[in-house]
Amino acid sequence: MKNIIIHYRGGSGGFFIYYYLLASDSNIVSKLSFRKSSSLTLGKQKNFLDACFYHQFRKNIHLNDWKKSEKWPNFRKVVSSNSRQIFLCCNEIPKNFDTSDSVIINPYIADKKKWLRMQVNKRCLHFFDIPKNIGRKEFFIHYKETYQRMAENSKVEDADYSFNFLKFLRDKDEREKLCDFLKIDINPRMEAYLTHYIDCHGKFFNKLIK
């Protein structure tokens, strides 16, 4: 089976999809950089995967601090007949990265205002460098300018499979469609990750799905 590339624009749920798929009882793994010359495999040992997931997505910290605990996979390919690697590409795929042995999936936010709201609350993409203590007037100016130059949704081009991320969170049929495409089955750990992820958003999630 082919490797998997999650190609998404900031604020579109790529990191959650990454963990959700790694939680499956399948042969999907990723490689985390460890020191300079070695790497750790994420996905086989579910206890380690749980530790990484629940450390990044915590209920006791604000959404705009989640990025501080991100553990990014690297792009080192390991040839194996027993596993397929998953790669995470935010905003762009590295120019010299060979995608011919991979399928590209694209979680996206279909609504422009909701996509912008995700960026604001998670301090990512166009709001990554915005200080928490920014004045209301300065924030509104930046918000308005960003909205005017943004695309209508966060879709990327040339994906093999694109799906509405917010619909994916609330509709199990949508999750099954993605899993069928990747030839994996949904298990209780994946759904537990989903429930926890939604709970971490609190009332903010209710605003997103309206």
Side-chain angles (χ1 to χ4, degrees):
M1 292 185 184
K2 288 191 171 185
N3 292 327
I4 301 165
I5 296 172
I6 302 172
H7 185 198
Y8 69 105
R9 301 199 189 283
S12 301
F15 241 113
F16 173 74
I17 297 299
Y18 166 74
Y19 278 110
Y20 186 81
L21 297 179
L22 283 171
S24 64
D25 296 316
S26 68
N27 60 348
I28 299 174
V29 298
S30 74
K31 294 292 182 178
L32 300 178
S33 295
F34 181 67
R35 296 174 182 168
K36 291 185 178 180
S37 58
S38 60
S39 61
L40 293 172
T41 299
L42 187 64
K44 290 183 178 180
Q45 300 296 326
K46 298 307 182 186
N47 288 339
F48 180 48
L49 179 67
D50 288 347
C52 293
F53 174 79
Y54 289 108
H55 177 69
Q56 178 167 335
F57 302 112
R58 285 178 280 170
K59 295 180 182 180
N60 61 341
I61 63 172
H62 197 278
L63 297 180
N64 59 34
D65 285 324
W66 277 2
K67 292 191 71 63
K68 296 177 182 178
S69 54
E70 291 176 346
K71 292 179 174 59
W72 282 86
N74 62 44
F75 289 96
R76 298 176 190 166
K77 288 189 177 181
V78 179
V79 178
S80 172
S81 59
N82 299 318
S83 64
R84 45 183 167 158
Q85 279 181 264
I86 187 169
F87 302 95
L88 196 57
C89 299
C90 184
N91 299 321
E92 62 182 9
I93 298 173
K95 291 182 179 179
N96 297 322
F97 188 70
D98 181 14
T99 63
S100 62
D101 61 351
S102 305
V103 292
I104 301 174
I105 64 173
N106 168 223
Y108 68 90
I109 305 294
D111 182 274
K112 183 176 182 177
K113 290 183 179 179
K114 291 180 180 180
W115 179 28
L116 189 57
R117 196 175 298 165
M118 289 278 276
Q119 294 178 45
V120 171
N121 279 270
K122 299 189 178 183
R123 289 296 191 272
C124 60
L125 197 58
H126 300 299
F127 290 82
F128 177 72
D129 294 322
I130 295 295
K132 292 182 181 179
N133 61 348
I134 187 174
R136 184 172 296 182
K137 181 178 180 181
E138 289 78 11
F139 178 85
F140 178 75
I141 291 173
H142 180 73
Y143 183 98
K144 185 177 180 179
E145 290 176 346
T146 301
Y147 182 83
Q148 290 175 342
R149 68 172 183 266
M150 277 175 55
E152 290 303 312
N153 57 60
S154 66
K155 269 189 178 182
V156 302
E157 296 180 356
D158 302 323
D160 297 296
Y161 187 96
S162 296
F163 58 99
N164 184 319
F165 178 64
L166 297 179
K167 193 174 180 181
F168 176 92
L169 293 179
R170 66 177 184 264
D171 188 343
K172 192 171 184 179
D173 287 343
E174 292 299 311
R175 300 195 290 278
E176 289 177 343
K177 287 177 185 178
L178 173 64
C179 290
D180 286 346
F181 176 76
L182 297 174
K183 295 179 172 54
I184 61 176
D185 296 318
I186 295 177
N187 66 23
R189 174 176 270 104
M190 297 164 75
E191 291 297 280
Y193 279 15
L194 177 105
T195 299
H196 177 80
Y197 180 80
I198 291 174
D199 288 346
C200 284
H201 288 75
K203 294 180 180 179
F204 175 58
F205 180 76
N206 294 330
K207 295 178 181 178
L208 288 175
I209 64 174
K210 287 182 179 179

